Structure formats: structure tokens, C-alpha cells
Amino acid sequence: MDFVIRSTRVVLPDGAVGPASVAVRDGTIASVASSAVTPDVDLGDLVLMPGLVDTHVHVNEPGRTEWEGFATATRAALAGGVTTIVDMPLNSLPPTVSAAALATKRDAAAGQCHVDVGFWGGAIPGNTGDLADLHAAGVFGFKAFLADSGVPEFPPVSPAELREAMAAVSALFIVHAEDPARLRSAPPSPHYADFLDSRPGAAECAAVGAALDAAEATGSRVHILHVSDAAAASVVAAGRARGVRVTAETCPHYLTLDADEIPDGATEFKCCPPIRGAANRDSLWSALAAGAIDIVVSDHSPSTPALKQGDFGSAWGGIASLQLGLPLVWTGALARGHGIADVVRWMSTGPADLVGLAGKGRIAVGADADLVAFDPAATFTVDPAALHHRHPVSPYAGRQLTGVVRRVWLGGAEVSPSDPPRGRLLRRAADLLEAR
């Protein structure tokens, strides 16, 4: 064994939390024993949990690296206990809509990643013929927008075009579900309520229904991204009940923030779909507890500070929260009686299972030794200057949160954001493209 790490609170795949000794050999977990094996690392009462897997991250490199970039995004991930991310296909130039574009993105990422990184492909009008080759090149599935993406090089598909793409390749499709016919242009207003009115929950529900219909017609797997309206979770649950192969996610900002508390002009709160009211937020928590929503991921979508300025009509719609996801969700979970095993299921095991990374997101024999020592009782106040993503813009500035990441191991090696990057580039089926 390379080393043995012990805690009185180890989160195991069956949801049990208790004393265990975890032995690591050659970067993987070699044994998990309840007996009191003499440890090399004794964490005491700190929680030992698997590293988080965040399957919804916009890194934006190459092409818009001034917005973020692999070095800064993965450093922020590591600081937040996220040991694997999957990068979205848009906001980079070129977008990841062909095998050649994927190769360009991998070249840009090589040698920069502080955590393990995989990639989504994109489905846009006109690239259906590229999807099979892109899938074979190792993307975990395909993202499609049913509404404007915000960048011209990644246009939305119609429901018919989504169905055509699903029929062309047997793959997981992940969908930004808002119906453009039910959206309207946000006015140039400093008032958040005016922006919120431009993107009603009915638009989300209608688009979720269209995505489910396409999946049902083709037998495809579909995953609904960033559910913000609790009624949309009910549409997902109804689709699942009739046999559609559907999963869904929500994000820390929808579980934490309240539309009625967003100050005038505070465009750092703008995202699409939008943050809604407190009653809706509580209903999202209920949907998560009931299993209608499966996972929680960041939708880390940063930009330059200049793009976040202005009014709610013109400012960029995205929230950067990769480093804060765990304490945000843990703070809300504590207030609602959920345990750390629930958070691990939502933020580690569930996202890993979504993309087929069986060796991630769990403390089990044979899994990667991606581990986090987490202090569930410690509190801190969010200071944007202490965040590792490229630009210190955050709607959480000054908010007190519970839960602090104390130590992180990636592939069996203890790492920190100040260390040289040692993350790997992943492909579908967990084949590795490079060694550490």
C-alpha cells in the first residue's frame, strides 16, 4: 500500500457514514476496512468523501480564455473539492462540434489541468454528420440548446433537429431546455424582476416536454440541464414514469438564492434560466430529495467583468461558482435535514454515473483515489478575492457558508491549488488520454 487514510466519518457508496480505513495503491483504492488499521493519515472527525464530479463547467478555452481557462477553472475546482470536471462545448473557439475541434481543445488543455477533465460535444444545426466521429473521439455526449445560447457560433436546434441528431448517434444528449417562443428580449432595466419576467417557467416546462418527446421517439438518453423551475422537475418525473430515459440536474444558485432578494443593478446574479423565488427554491429542494432531480452541478459560466456590467438586459448571463458548490449545497442541506451522504450522492456519485465514470465519485475498491477531507462544521464568509477562478465576480460575496475543504487527494497524491497541474484528460468509457 502507498498509504492508509482513516476517518471516523467515511462516506461509503451505500450511504453509510462511519469509521473506516481506506488503503491506496498506485492511485486507486485498494481496500476499505472498518477495522482500526494503523493509518498513515488520521483525519479524526473530518469527513472523508469522494471528490466531487462536476459535469457542467464552461472553461471557455481556447478562444475566450480571457473569460476563464483550464488553469484557472481547474485550480478553482480543486480548491472546492472537485476532482473531475466535464467541459461544455460552447464559449470556446472553435466550439466542440467536430472531432477536429475536440483535438484543438485537448491540445489547449494539455498540461494545464489541476483536476481530471473530460469533454462534451455539441449538437448544432448542420453538424449531424459529425456526431458519430466526435462520439468515437471520446466526448461524453452532446449538448444542444433549444433557445439562443448567447454566442453566435453555437446556434440552437429545433425540436425536429434535436430528434434528427438523437437518431443519428446512440449517445447521451444534454439539453438547455427553454422554449424560444415563450421567451422575450429582456428590457434594458436595472430591476431583476423585469429580467425574470422575460424568461418564465412555462418556457422551461414546454422545452423539457419537447426534449422528452424527442428522446421517447428515438429511444435516446436525455439529461435536462440546470432545472430552475420546480414545475419542470415534475415534467421530468412524469416522463420518467412513462419510460423516457431521462435525468435532470439543478445548480447551487437555484438552491441558494432568492429572486426577491436580488438588488437593483446586481447583474452578478444574472443567469439563464433565471433564479426564481423562495417558494420555488424550496420546491427544487423537495424535487431533489424525491429523486425527480438527480444531481447538483455548478453550471460554472464566467465571463470578463466588463460583460457582467450594465443592466439585466445586456449583461452576460452566467454565474461562476465552481469553488463554492460544496459549501453552498451543504449549507442548504443542513438547514433542511439532509446528511453528507445525500450531498455525495448528488454531487459525486450521481454526476459520475451520468457520464459513465465508474471509477469516480465513490470510495470503493478499484475506484480512483480522488478524496476530500471536509470539515462540515467550519464556517467562512465568501471573499471573492480568495476565489481561484479568473475573475473575482460572485453573487455570494459576503455570504456566510458552512463547510470547508481541508485536504484533497487526486489519484492518490495530495494536491493543492498551488501545486503544478497533474490532472488527466478523460474520454468516454474512462479511457485516459495522458498519464499523470
Side-chain angles (χ1 to χ4, degrees):
M1 301 303 168
D2 296 332
F3 67 94
V4 174
I5 183 169
R6 183 168 176 80
S7 167
T8 63
R9 292 188 284 182
V10 178
V11 184
L12 298 175
D14 63 0
V17 181
S21 298
V22 179
V24 175
R25 181 175 56 223
D26 297 333
T28 61
I29 296 171
S31 69
V32 181
S34 58
S35 57
V37 177
T38 301
D40 300 287
V41 179
D42 191 342
L43 297 177
D45 290 334
L46 292 179
V47 169
L48 181 64
M49 57 187 286
L52 271 59
V53 178
D54 193 333
T55 53
H56 195 151
V57 178
H58 294 267
V59 175
N60 305 335
E61 186 177 4
R64 291 190 176 97
T65 309
E66 71 275 14
W67 292 21
E68 185 61 281
F70 284 102
T72 50
T74 58
R75 191 178 295 121
L78 180 58
V82 179
T83 52
T84 302
I85 67 170
V86 186
D87 171 57
M88 283 292 166
L90 72 156
N91 300 344
S92 58
L93 295 170
T96 315
V97 294
S98 68
L102 175 63
T104 298
K105 181 169 280 193
R106 284 178 173 148
D107 288 345
Q112 293 202 75
C113 299
H114 292 265
V115 301
D116 290 352
V117 177
F119 303 94
W120 293 107
I124 62 173
N127 84 323
T128 299
D130 294 303
L131 298 183
D133 287 345
L134 186 50
H135 201 230
V139 297
F140 286 91
F142 298 98
K143 182 174 188 176
F145 276 76
L146 292 178
D148 180 36
S149 73
V151 291
E153 67 277 359
F154 204 98
V157 296
S158 67
E161 288 168 327
L162 177 62
R163 185 177 300 195
E164 178 187 358
M166 287 178 167
V169 59
S170 178
L172 172 62
F173 281 79
I174 61 174
V175 179
H176 180 123
E178 290 181 285
D179 179 1
R182 297 171 188 249
L183 302 177
R184 63 180 180 84
S185 297
S189 170
H191 306 303
Y192 181 76
D194 293 333
F195 167 66
L196 180 58
D197 287 345
S198 74
R199 303 186 88 98
E204 200 168 347
C205 292
V208 170
L212 296 183
D213 289 346
E216 186 172 35
T218 58
S220 295
R221 286 178 63 203
V222 65
H223 177 75
I224 305 301
L225 298 167
H226 44 49
V227 173
S228 76
D229 186 85
S234 298
V235 179
V236 169
R240 189 177 293 151
R242 72 174 193 255
V244 180
R245 301 166 65 198
V246 58
T247 50
E249 68 185 43
T250 193
C251 306
H253 37 283
Y254 302 126
L255 297 172
T256 303
L257 302 172
D258 174 2
D260 294 332
E261 296 179 350
I262 296 176
D264 284 353
T267 53
E268 63 269 25
F269 288 84
K270 180 181 176 181
C271 57
C272 300
I275 295 156
R276 306 188 190 277
N280 178 80
R281 177 189 61 197
D282 292 342
S283 295
L284 286 174
W285 275 102
S286 297
L288 186 61
I293 296 173
D294 301 271
I295 63 173
V296 182
V297 289
S298 69
D299 189 9
H300 179 76
S301 185
S303 69
T304 62
L307 287 173
K308 288 298 287 182
Q309 294 174 358
D311 56 64
F312 280 106
S314 61
W316 176 257
I319 290 176
S321 64
L322 188 52
Q323 186 172 334
L324 296 174
L326 178 55
L328 286 166
V329 175
W330 175 238
T331 299
L334 270 177
R336 292 164 175 82
H338 299 293
I340 192 64
D342 296 316
V343 174
V344 167
R345 184 175 71 255
W346 298 329
M347 303 188 79
S348 297
T349 315
D353 289 348
L354 173 72
V355 294
L357 287 173
K360 301 289 189 184
R362 67 208 78 219
I363 297 178
V365 173
D368 290 354
D370 299 343
L371 303 168
V372 170
F374 181 63
D375 187 338
T379 61
F380 70 101
T381 300
V382 177
D383 175 7
L387 300 176
H388 288 274
H389 60 258
R390 186 175 296 278
H391 300 293
V393 177
S394 174
Y396 305 110
R399 183 179 289 262
Q400 187 176 70
L401 300 177
T402 301
V404 173
V405 172
R406 297 297 189 192
R407 303 170 73 174
V408 179
W409 290 262
L410 179 67
E414 187 167 6
V415 289
S416 74
S418 61
D419 291 338
R422 66 186 313 272
R424 300 177 294 185
L425 303 185
L426 307 175
R427 67 163 71 212
R428 185 173 48 85
D431 295 327
L432 300 177
L433 296 179
E434 60 179 34
R436 292 197 198 281

